[in-house]
Amino acid sequence: MTHETRPLAVFDLDGTLADSGHRQHFLEGGRRDWGGFFAAAVDDPPLDEGVRLVLSSVEECEIRYLTGRPERCRRDTVTWLAAQGLPEGRMYMRRNDDRRPARHTKLEILKRLGRERQVRMLVDDDELVCDAAELAGFTVVRARWAVASPALKDAQERTGRT
């Protein structure tokens, strides 16, 4: 068995590889429907720019997925990735009860990965995650090819749900 030594390319899902725009309405208003929001993820169209970046990175890097989606979404998420023709890769998801802001949960995992292997890049749409990763010394590609609603941005930062 050979020890994998290729650098890691770490990709976010929502807003980076998956277009979650069609389900952001679940987060609007006073009562957010998190169950509906995550259940609808199976119908996300792929974001071509993000998909191309994964596919071009797989030659030189081992692909990992780092998402703010809760663990209960793992099966649907793995199915969605396969349906898009994306490479298999270890996926890091938040615990179902973890409500910390994404910039904390993702940076914690990214730092752990960086102690084990070289992280060539993190690709994420959340500006606060990107800022934190850059401050920690990681190379970041800011996924600015999808439009996040104010409700989604609030969910990422304040309520720690995605």
Side-chain angles (χ1 to χ4, degrees):
M1 183 169 98
T2 61
H3 180 68
E4 182 64 66
T5 57
R6 292 185 301 162
L8 302 176
V10 182
F11 287 84
D12 172 50
L13 294 175
D14 296 330
T16 300
L17 301 177
D19 185 350
S20 60
H22 71 99
R23 57 189 167 102
Q24 291 180 14
H25 66 91
F26 287 107
L27 303 182
E28 295 166 358
R31 271 186 81 72
R32 295 183 170 143
D33 179 2
W34 289 104
F37 178 77
F38 288 119
V42 297
D43 297 321
D44 287 357
L47 290 165
D48 292 338
E49 201 166 335
V51 169
R52 278 193 300 274
L53 190 52
V54 172
L55 296 177
S56 67
S57 299
V58 75
E59 294 300 318
E60 293 184 11
C61 298
E62 180 181 339
I63 304 300
R64 301 278 176 99
Y65 300 101
L66 175 58
T67 180
R69 292 180 185 183
E71 186 64 44
R72 68 179 178 275
C73 299
R74 181 173 294 274
R75 180 177 295 141
D76 285 347
T77 302
V78 168
T79 300
W80 185 90
L81 288 167
Q84 309 316 312
L86 291 164
E88 289 184 13
R90 186 174 297 167
M91 187 178 343
Y92 303 90
M93 304 181 91
R94 73 170 62 235
R95 291 184 326 271
N96 289 329
D97 63 349
D98 187 347
R99 302 287 188 266
R100 292 176 295 155
R103 70 178 191 272
H104 298 303
T105 59
K106 287 184 174 183
L107 188 61
E108 182 180 287
I109 293 167
L110 201 58
K111 285 179 175 178
R112 188 175 74 228
L113 293 174
R115 287 191 294 272
E116 299 168 8
R117 298 262 286 285
Q118 177 199 357
V119 176
R120 168 94 33 103
M121 66 179 160
L122 167 69
V123 184
D124 203 301
D125 68 315
D126 184 327
E127 293 292 337
L128 295 172
V129 169
C130 293
D131 291 347
E134 283 179 341
L135 268 170
F138 292 97
T139 299
V140 172
V141 175
R142 293 174 187 258
R144 292 182 171 143
W145 42 82
V147 177
S149 71
L152 180 61
K153 287 181 180 182
D154 181 64
Q156 288 174 321
E157 178 52 26
R158 207 166 52 80
T159 58
R161 292 288 194 124
T162 184

